[in-house]
């Protein structure tokens, strides 16, 4: 007896568009469970972003990464390199220099940097802060005004600051915003409810459900995304149907496997190869669990993940 | 409708007629000077004349466009109320108010064209879009709780400064327009040397009353920019303002017809008018959240009254005490030798007490110390203490008193160098020598309570007043009264039954690790973590309406014996992500409530004994089921329905609904001695109620046996009541009757 | 619908005879209901009850045993598609590929690289479990290579579609209980005979799912229920679709014919591209690969993949725990400060990661806190001033560490007073609420 394939038709979810004109990219809008593109004609594939910071990477042991940015002296030049990288759908600029515990750049300096970056960027732009809550709020308020009309995605608003960030980015200047919750389906949903109650349209919200590198409690990330996608697609839960974006690189490049030098861990071998695989494996696992967009750092990981998504379509 | 309302209506309608006439005059002069096609606008805005644009959808760009708006105004203008007809005037009044705002906007627009220029000296005129966006964010995120539109002038310069300062302290914006007999509030500030401008949040728009329209235009633009509301969609625009922009009109000095007309316009936005003079009032609520026009408010308390009438809540950002404050100090201990002064313990009486008052009975933020303060204390002494907290709020309920009162422990412990233990009349507090040296006084108890309760319980606390008593006489005098209240509260909790309420509360806080688990909290079945009862759920929902505790309207009862309701089933089905479709609140054998993992105790069936055992988490030993607590916990937990095993809060064992479908307390055959002791008093009462002597002695424990066979022998010896009951694995005769009845209905 | 504990209890003799090695009939019933033991463990179960039970609870996916001795593994036996629905039971296996066509030196190199990967992670040994041997037409050479695979101490997975060669290679290594891949629509009868004779699990492939389904039905009819299904190597998309369709058919739609574990050969899907293979291995670890084969596995691949697998194959109810003890981080010595967190693996990883990022040497103290997160452990009474004091005493932290500064998680600031009383010669400092604030906090503490 032959195998009987059952039809699995699901309603496409809403997508969030970032960037403008021909360069705009849609995030989300899937109509199948994650990567199950054989179930239905695909409405929109997952997107791959590349991140860079205003401060250049420490690429001492990462020759391939260094090569990708070879000759780029200014932030604008590095952004241009990133945007042209193979497989890149959008660019994520992290304003690490703003960190009050670090370089503590002023809001004005950051605005200037972001404007230069935006001018040089040929792909849609996504802006992440420096993980200092007070600074990010000030930063996003100023950046939203300075980048008016460019339809930027801001990462991220949390339950504590969604009002200010949501109002400044989406309501005042028509950008997009990611709501960040800490790996919990109900917290994610609550934040979506709160943001929509504030008046932010569903079409302007992306979910940043939190992340982890594989091996570091990734089961929570995976199960949370499994449940979010089941709720969105199979139970029609409108408050969980926003697209999911995952900052993979910030997680994977912060763990031992991607940081310990070969001198410290000789048996582990080449550091760059380890970092690439950590990032690639985590990114693939995120996509399989439900990320509609992943943000990566290494050009090899970006290329391979983008190609893999294409191969699955 | 009252005489007052009618007087206001008459006055506002007269004012509207005057305003429209003046606008026509301005427009005529402008056309004469510049021609009918002359361009007209407010500077640096995409919202044209914003009130007209957002209400009518008309983008005024030329003087000819204004002509069309004047025509609309004339249609809106009602005739004055007739002398004999006392029918509703509110609709007419609102129309008149709206016509007035259009007229004012035309007047101000014309001024930009033919003068006098609205921007002049301290006067700023219309706000640009850049200002609108930057400042508008503060209204959306709450960093500006609202704005005060002040029209007229204060009785004195000093009064003006006081009002301005108080509004600034509360982070409100103050929009200033109009004058009283040629004197303006803004000029009063200016003369007193107070800096005005957007930076100080004291914004003088213009000296004429027509400049008040800038404040409403700001509100309208906020709705367009931040509320994604389309121009012309006046209903949604006004509703946005009512729901989200906490503004009010403060009318100082004489209220002219034009001011009435403007106030009438503001009412449409849900912005009430509060006046310091004796003017007619519109008290009943309707458009505004609470009253519409309130008069004769003393100048010293007008700001507070404004906030109250508009329902505007202000957060205090800094704890006004001389020592550090935060959760990090909660665990701090103060030893006797470090103590400067202490209260309670067994040395003196100390109580803390929260009670509900009417809004006008207390003064918000007032803290009084009655008795000696810290500077009159001999170090090392003990004083009596009463922390007497009076709370008022339009959503305050006496049921919340105990919840607020329980916070006092955490609130006071948060201060560095201050230690608190106990609750109600069992308090014990210490203030350390170092806290005393740094200036901590008794009034700071009140300040901490006031600030924290205001900030954390905004939804229910509108006003709070604290009195600290430190003499034996004052403290002891109050004790009998408050002890009676404590008793009444206990009785209230006991008298709350599932049948007496129509709403239960859900708790989804554990879904992060038990994805399908849904707690249904009823008055007679507290949360299984033991930490959360029905009253807590009710308060939590009032405080955070989108949080993890949602009200569940019981709806149709499917099975009164097992405790099953249609709406509860539906809710559990949805929130368990379709994993569970039926839940019985009172049965552990059939469709029992799921368990997360944090339950205090497990009730487990022992079918061979025809009963159940109940084991608390602390009990680590063997049980007669052959499984330890941890083994049973892993079976019963995780949000699955496991008939025969339920996780419960310990106090559920004292509920009348304790496994009611299985026959209740008589089923308990075994429990560890520690649990017996914890529940002894309550269980003995229950035993009496059931007519069983030695109820607890009939229950086996680990000192007798941890073997199933041993329990059966014991039961036979004491003739345990469960032996005479129906087979626990089968439904009770009553439940079977319910089933049969339902069956009969189903089959016609 | 699986039977509930009470339903099963009713089938027992209710005598608590303990012959099933369970203390009571109820305990027995609960264990059967959870799938931990079989109904047949009760010697007093009636034939009628066994019949009734078997039909109600036959597992939707069979559990297949492969390998022998220390390298014996169970595959399959899953009852849910996603781990949060209950738990995933038998974790997937990883393997590398060698072939009879490869020169010995290359084979040695591949095996040596593989055997180097052997480390412990949260109490579990991490290593590659399988070696896939692609046979060629030379039976002797094929057997020789297969023996090398066995000698490496891993489960051999043979790929051989020629029944005669398969028979001869199996003859050399059958004690290792290998998997024999290569059965298809054309050769299934002969391959079945070879596999059965050697008691090897048989890997089945098909041109498409229809053919695979047919072949499995025929093999089952011939009495073989020890099968593994090859998801194919037509394309990445096709292989992934097949893996999902097979598992979904078995667990969701009750198609027992597809109720077998799967095998995925990534070396064939992305030859020469180890990064893409790693990405695919990740996807198949989450979605229904049972044996996942790659060309090579070095540390760069093992570290993330084994970490992922360890995460995914955890019971959602039972958090991973780390062993209590003293963990010096960032070159900490006896003069470095102490930080305390709980033995919940996630807490440990996050906290230790942030400490590493701070580059401040810290002695991380992990007491036994029942494997719960900080607040849960505190609420459950598993993390208290006395449990911490007991830990300090038992692990002799007092004498091992001279710097008696103990940083407490901010969420349990409330323990400070008690701890100061219990540890009078320690300075107790309340740390931040969230691990992410540790970097900043530690920079100020020194």
């Amino acid at each position: 007896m032959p195998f009987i394939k059952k039809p699995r038709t699901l309603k496409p979810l809403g997508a969030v568009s970032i960037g403008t004109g021909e360069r705009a990219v849609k995030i989300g809008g899937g109509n199948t469970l994650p990567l199950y593109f054989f179930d239905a004609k695909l409405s929109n594939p997952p997107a791959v972003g590349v991140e860079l910071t205003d401060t250049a990477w420490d690429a001492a042991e990462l020759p391939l990464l260094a090569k990708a940015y070879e000759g780029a002296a200014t932030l604008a030049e590095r952004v241009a390199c990133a945007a042209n990288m193979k497989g890149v759908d959008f660019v994520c600029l992290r304003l690490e220099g703003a960190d009050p515990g670090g370089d503590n750049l002023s809001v004005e300096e950051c605005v200037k940097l972001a404007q230069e970056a935006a001018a040089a960027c040929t792909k849609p732009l996504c802006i992440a802060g420096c993980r200092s809550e007070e600074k990010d709020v000030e930063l996003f308020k100023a950046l939203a005004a300075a980048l008016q009309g460019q339809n930027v995605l801001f990462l991220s608003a949390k339950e504590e600051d969604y009002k200010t960030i949501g109002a400044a980015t989406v309501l005042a200047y028509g950008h997009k915003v990611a709501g960040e919750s800490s790996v919990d389906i109900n917290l994610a949903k609550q934040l979506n409810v709160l943001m929509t109650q504030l008046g932010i349209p569903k079409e302007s919200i992306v979910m940043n459900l939190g992340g982890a590198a594989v091996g570091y409690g990734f089961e929570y990330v995976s199960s949370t995304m499994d449940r979010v996608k089941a709720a969105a697609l199979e139970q029609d839960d409108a408050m969980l149907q926003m697209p999911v974006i995952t900052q993979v690189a910030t997680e994977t490049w912060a763990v031992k496997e991607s940081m310990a030098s070969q001198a410290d861990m000789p048996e582990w071998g080449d550091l760059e190869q380890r970092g690439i695989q950590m990032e690639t494996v985590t990114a693939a696992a995120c996509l399989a669990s439900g990320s509609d967009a992943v943000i990566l750092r290494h050009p090899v990981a970006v290329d391979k993940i983008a190609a893999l998504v294409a191969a699955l379509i | 409708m009252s005489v007052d309302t009618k007087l206001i209506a008459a006055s506002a309608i007269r004012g509207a007629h005057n305003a429209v006439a003046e606008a026509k005059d301005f427009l005529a002069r402008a056309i004469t000077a510049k021609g009918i096609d002359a361009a007209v606008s407010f500077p640096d805005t995409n919202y044209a004349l914003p009130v007209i644009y957002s209400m009518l959808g008309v983008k005024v760009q030329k003087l000819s466009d204004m002509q069309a708006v004047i025509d609309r105004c004339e249609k809106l203008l009602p005739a004055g109320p007739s002398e004999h007809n006392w029918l509703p005037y509110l609709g007419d009044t609102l129309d008149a108010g709206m016509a007035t705002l259009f007229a004012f906007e035309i007047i101000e627009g014309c001024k930009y064209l033919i003068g006098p220029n609205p921007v002049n000296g301290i006067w700023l005129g219309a706000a640009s879009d850049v200002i609108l966006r930057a400042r508008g964010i503060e209204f959306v995120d709450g960093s500006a709780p609202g704005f005060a539109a002040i029209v007229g002038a204060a009785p004195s310069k000093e009064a003006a400064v006081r009002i301005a300062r108080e509004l600034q302290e509360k982070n409100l914006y103050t929009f200033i327009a109009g004058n009283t007999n040629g004197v303006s509030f803004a000029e009063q500030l200016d003369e007193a040397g107070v800096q005005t401008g957007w930076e100080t949040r004291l914004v003088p728009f213009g000296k004429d009353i027509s400049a008040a329209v800038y404040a409403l235009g700001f509100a309208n633009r906020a709705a367009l920019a931040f509320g994604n509301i389309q121009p012309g969609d006046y209903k949604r625009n006004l509703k946005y303002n009512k729901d989200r922009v906490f503004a009010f009109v403060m009318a100082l000095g004489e209220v002219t017809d034009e001011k009435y007309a403007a106030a009438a316009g503001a009412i449409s936005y849900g912005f009430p008018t509060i006046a310091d003079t004796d003017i007619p009032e519109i008290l009943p609520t309707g458009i505004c959240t609470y009253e519409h026009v309130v008069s004769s408010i003393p100048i010293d308390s007008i700001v507070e009254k404004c906030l109250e009438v508009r329902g505007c809540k202000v957060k205090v950002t800094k704890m006004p005490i001389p020592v550090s404050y935060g959760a990090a100090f909660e665990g701090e201990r103060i030893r006797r030798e470090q103590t400067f002064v202490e209260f309670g313990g067994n040395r003196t009486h100390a109580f803390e007490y929260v009670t509900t008052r009417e809004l006008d009975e207390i003064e918000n933020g007032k803290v009084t110390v009655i008795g000696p303060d810290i500077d009159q204390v001999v170090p090392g002494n003990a004083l009596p203490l009463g922390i007497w907290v009076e709370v008022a709020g339009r959503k305050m309920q006496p049921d919340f008193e105990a919840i607020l009162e329980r916070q006092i422990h955490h609130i006071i412990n948060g201060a560095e160098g201050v230690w608190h233990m106990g609750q109600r009349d069992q308090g014990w507090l210490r203030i350390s020598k170092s806290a005393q040296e740094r200036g901590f006084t008794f009034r700071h108890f009140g300040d901490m309570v006031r600030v924290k309760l205001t900030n954390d319980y905004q939804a229910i606390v509108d006003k709070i007043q604290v009195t600290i008593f430190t003499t034996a006489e004052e403290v002891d005098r109050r004790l009998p009264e408050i002890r009676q209240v404590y008793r009444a509260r206990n009785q209230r909790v006991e008298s709350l039954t599932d049948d007496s309420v129509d709403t239960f509360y859900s708790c989804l806080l554990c879904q992060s690790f038990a994805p399908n688990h849904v707690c249904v909290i009823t008055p007679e079945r507290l949360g299984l973590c033991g930490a959360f009862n029905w009253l807590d759920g009710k308060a939590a929902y009032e405080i955070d309406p989108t949080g993890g505790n949602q009200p569940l309207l019981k709806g149709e009862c499917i099975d009164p014996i097992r405790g099953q309701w249609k709406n509860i089933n539906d809710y559990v089905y949805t929130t368990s992500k379709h994993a569970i479709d039926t839940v019985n609140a009172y049965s552990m054998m059939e469709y029992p409530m799921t368990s997360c993992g944090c339950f205090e105790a497990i009730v487990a069936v022992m079918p061979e004994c025809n009963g159940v055992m109940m084991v608390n988490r602390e009990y680590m030993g063997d049980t007669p089921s052959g499984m330890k607590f941890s083994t049973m916990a892993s079976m019963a937990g995780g949000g699955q329905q496991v008939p025969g095993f339920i996780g419960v809060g310990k106090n559920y064992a004292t509920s009348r609904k304790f496994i009611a479908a299985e026959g209740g307390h008589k089923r308990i055959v075994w429990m560890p001695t520690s649990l017996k002791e914890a529940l002894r008093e309550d269980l003995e009462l229950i035993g009496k109620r059931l007519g069983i002597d030695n109820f607890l002695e009939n229950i086996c424990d680990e000192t007798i046996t941890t073997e199933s066979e041993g329990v059966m022998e014991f039961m036979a010896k004491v003739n345990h009541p469960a032996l005479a009951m129906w087979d626990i694995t089968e439904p009770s005769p009553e439940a079977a009757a319910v089933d049969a009845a339902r069956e009969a209905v189903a089959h016609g | 619908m699986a039977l509930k504990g009470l339903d099963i209890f009713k089938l027992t003799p209710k005598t608590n005879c303990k012959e099933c090695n369970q203390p009571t009939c109820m305990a027995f019933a609960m264990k059967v209901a959870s799938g931990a033991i079989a109904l047949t463990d009760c010697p007093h179960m009636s034939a009628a009850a066994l019949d009734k039970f078997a039909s109600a609870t036959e597992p939707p996916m069979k559990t297949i045993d492969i390998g022998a001795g220390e390298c014996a593994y169970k595959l399959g036996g899953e009852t849910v598609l996603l781990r949060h629905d209950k738990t995933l039971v038998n974790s997937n296996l990883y393997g590398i590929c060698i072939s009879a066509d490869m020169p010995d030196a290359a084979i040695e190199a591949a095996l040596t690289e593989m055997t180097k990967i052997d480390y412990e992670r949260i109490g579990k040994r991490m290593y590659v479990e399988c070696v896939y041997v692609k046979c060629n037409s030379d039976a002797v050479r094929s057997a020789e290579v297969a023996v090398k695979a066995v000698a490496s101490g891993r489960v051999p997975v043979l790929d051989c579609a020629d029944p005669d060669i398969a028979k001869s290679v199996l003859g050399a290594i059958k004690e290792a209980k290998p998997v024999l891949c290569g059965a298809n629509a054309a050769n299934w009868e002969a391959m079945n005979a070879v596999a059965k004779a050697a008691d090897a699990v048989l890997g089945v492939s098909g041109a498409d799912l229809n053919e695979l389904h047919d072949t499995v039905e025929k093999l089952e009819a011939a009495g073989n229920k020890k099968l593994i299904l090859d998801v194919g190597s037509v394309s990445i998309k096709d292989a992934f679709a097949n893996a999902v369709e097979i598992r979904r058919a078995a667990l969701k739609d009750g198609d027992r014919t597809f109720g077998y574990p799967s095998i995925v050969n990534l070396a064939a899907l992305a030859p020469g591209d180890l990064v893409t293979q790693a990405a695919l291995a990740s996807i198949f670890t989450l979605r229904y690969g049972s044996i996942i084969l790659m060309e090579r596995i070095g540390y760069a691949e093992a570290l993330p993949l084994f970490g992922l697998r360890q995460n995914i194959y955890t019971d959602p109810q039972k958090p991973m725990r780390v062993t209590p003890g003293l963990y010096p981080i960032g070159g900490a010595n006896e003069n470095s400060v102490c930080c305390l967190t709980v033995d919940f693996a996630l807490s440990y990883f996050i906290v230790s990661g942030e400490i590493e990022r701070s580059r401040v040497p810290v002695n991380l103290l992990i007491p036994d806190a029942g494997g719960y997160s900080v607040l849960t452990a505190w609420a459950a009474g598993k993390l208290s001033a006395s449990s911490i004091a007991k830990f300090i005493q038992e692990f002799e932290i007092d004498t091992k560490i001279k710097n008696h500064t103990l940083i407490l998680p901010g969420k349990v600031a409330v323990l400070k007073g008690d701890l100061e009383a219990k540890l009078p010669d320690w300075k107790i400092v309340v740390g931040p609420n969230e691990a992410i604030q540790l970097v900043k906090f530690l920079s100020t503490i020194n």
Side-chain angles (χ1 to χ4, degrees), chain A residues 141 148 159 163-164 167-168 171-173 184-186 189-190 193-194 196-199 201 227 231 234-235 237 240, chain B residues 130 133-134 137-138 140-142 225-228 240 244 508-509 511-512 515-516 544 546-548 574 577-578:
Chain A
K141 270 160 90 169
Q148 187 173 6
E159 196 179 333
K163 283 186 179 170
T164 312
L171 298 181
Y173 295 104
D184 181 303
I185 185 171
N186 288 313
K189 181 169 174 171
Q190 189 185 4
V193 171
L194 290 170
T196 40
Q197 281 179 354
L198 188 70
R227 297 182 62 213
E234 295 175 341
Q235 293 142 22
D237 188 333
L240 286 170
Chain B
V130 174
R133 288 185 201 277
I137 292 168
E138 298 179 19
V140 181
D141 73 12
F226 295 96
N228 195 27
Y240 180 93
R244 296 172 190 250
L508 301 178
L509 296 177
Q511 282 203 345
S512 53
N516 299 331
D544 181 7
T546 59
T574 311
K577 305 277 182 255
H578 300 189

Side-chain angles (χ1 to χ4, degrees), chain C residues 391-445:
Chain C
F391 164 81
I392 300 254
Q393 188 196 358
E394 271 177 18
F395 284 77
E396 298 170 342
I397 308 291
D398 261 325
T399 48
K400 283 182 191 156
I401 307 294
K402 285 190 185 140
N403 184 337
H404 282 188
T405 305
L406 178 61
I407 299 166
L408 206 58
K411 285 189 174 151
V412 288
V414 58
L415 296 178
K416 184 177 183 237
D418 265 350
L419 258 185
E420 279 169 340
K422 292 219 156 68
L423 301 171
D425 56 337
W426 282 75
K427 183 181 167 212
I428 312 294
V429 180
V430 174
N433 276 339
E434 302 293 339
I436 195 161
Q437 298 151 347
L438 263 176
V439 176
K440 198 173 166 191
F441 179 83
L442 288 172
S443 71
T444 59
I445 193 129

Side-chain angles (χ1 to χ4, degrees), chain C residues 164-304:
Chain C
D164 294 333
I165 296 176
K167 189 175 177 186
S168 131
V169 176
L170 275 183
I173 60 160
K174 69 176 177 196
E175 278 68 37
K177 298 267 176 219
V179 177
L180 171 62
C181 293
N184 55 40
N187 68 5
W188 66 270
E189 275 186 290
M191 290 295 283
N192 186 33
V194 173
K196 273 190 148 173
D199 195 23
V201 172
L202 184 61
V204 192
S205 59
D208 56 25
L209 287 181
N210 286 332
E211 196 181 290
L212 183 65
H213 203 263
D214 276 345
T215 310
V216 172
E217 279 180 335
K218 286 175 187 155
L219 283 162
E220 285 191 325
N224 194 345
K225 292 198 172 183
K226 287 168 70 178
L227 306 175
I228 290 186
L229 311 186
D230 186 346
V231 303
S233 48
V234 174
S235 71
I236 287 174
K237 181 181 181 179
D238 189 61
F240 181 57
N242 290 347
V244 173
E245 294 284 17
I246 288 170
R247 186 72 64 89
R248 204 161 52 178
L251 298 190
K252 203 172 173 188
D253 304 329
D255 182 348
R256 298 253 156 89
T257 306
F258 270 170
Y260 290 97
S262 68
I263 185 163
V264 191
N265 187 348
L266 303 177
L269 286 173
D273 181 351
L274 216 50
V275 178
T276 300
Q277 286 183 29
L280 282 167
S282 170
I283 292 174
F284 281 106
T285 299
L286 286 166
R287 294 293 181 260
Y288 317 139
S290 305
I291 297 179
I292 300 173
L293 303 167
M294 295 171 67
E295 268 170 9
R296 309 190 284 110
I297 297 180
Y299 264 101
E301 292 72 42
L303 292 171

Side-chain angles (χ1 to χ4, degrees), chain C residues 120-180:
Chain C
E120 201 183 289
R121 190 176 198 282
I122 324 177
K124 287 266 162 56
R125 190 182 155 214
M126 300 283 141
Y127 59 99
V128 177
E129 295 87 0
C130 302
V131 173
Y132 171 88
V133 180
K134 190 163 178 57
C135 302
N136 61 13
S137 53
D138 180 345
V140 177
R141 170 65 180 163
S142 296
E144 193 183 298
V145 175
V147 168
K148 285 181 199 287
V150 175
S152 70
R154 314 300 155 111
V155 182
V157 179
L158 297 182
D159 183 5
C160 181
D162 182 322
D164 294 333
I165 296 176
K167 189 175 177 186
S168 131
V169 176
L170 275 183
I173 60 160
K174 69 176 177 196
E175 278 68 37
K177 298 267 176 219
V179 177
L180 171 62

Side-chain angles (χ1 to χ4, degrees), chain B residues 595-606:
Chain B
S595 306
C596 46
C598 12
F599 35 82
E600 288 186 305
I602 285 183
V603 181
V605 68
M606 292 182 63

Side-chain angles (χ1 to χ4, degrees), chain C residues 84-145:
Chain C
H84 74 257
D85 287 333
K86 189 164 184 215
T87 183
L88 300 177
V89 191
N90 292 312
S91 62
N92 64 287
L93 306 178
Y94 295 112
I96 62 157
C97 300
I98 56 175
S99 123
D101 291 332
M102 278 163 79
D104 277 350
I107 291 174
E108 290 311 322
L111 294 176
T112 309
E113 182 191 39
M114 175 193 76
T115 40
K116 264 195 215 153
I117 296 165
D118 203 333
Y119 59 97
E120 201 183 289
R121 190 176 198 282
I122 324 177
K124 287 266 162 56
R125 190 182 155 214
M126 300 283 141
Y127 59 99
V128 177
E129 295 87 0
C130 302
V131 173
Y132 171 88
V133 180
K134 190 163 178 57
C135 302
N136 61 13
S137 53
D138 180 345
V140 177
R141 170 65 180 163
S142 296
E144 193 183 298
V145 175

